[in-house]
Amino acid sequence: MNAIVSTDNWVSDFVLTLWTPLFIAIFIAIVTYALWPRNKSKFDAAASMPLREE
């Protein structure tokens, strides 16, 4: 009985070689955008929106 996901499986190799680094790069880009000092005022304004009474 062979395992469905093995090191010989081309789908597994494709996912490990392409999608994993791609999603790591996307994650790093999102975190960088969120922590960039220029965006602090935008995020502070968005954080105070639920507290406003208009």
Side-chain angles (χ1 to χ4, degrees), residues 3-53:
I4 293 174
V5 178
S6 67
T7 55
D8 297 333
N9 192 348
W10 68 272
V11 175
S12 177
D13 291 341
F14 177 73
V15 169
L16 289 175
T17 58
L18 180 68
W19 292 107
T20 302
L22 178 67
F23 284 123
I24 289 172
I26 291 171
F27 175 78
I28 290 171
I30 291 170
V31 169
T32 302
Y33 174 77
L35 297 178
W36 205 258
R38 182 182 61 179
N39 297 327
K40 183 175 178 3
S41 61
K42 294 178 197 175
F43 288 120
D44 286 341
S48 66
M49 285 178 83
L51 303 175
R52 284 191 246 155
E53 293 187 27

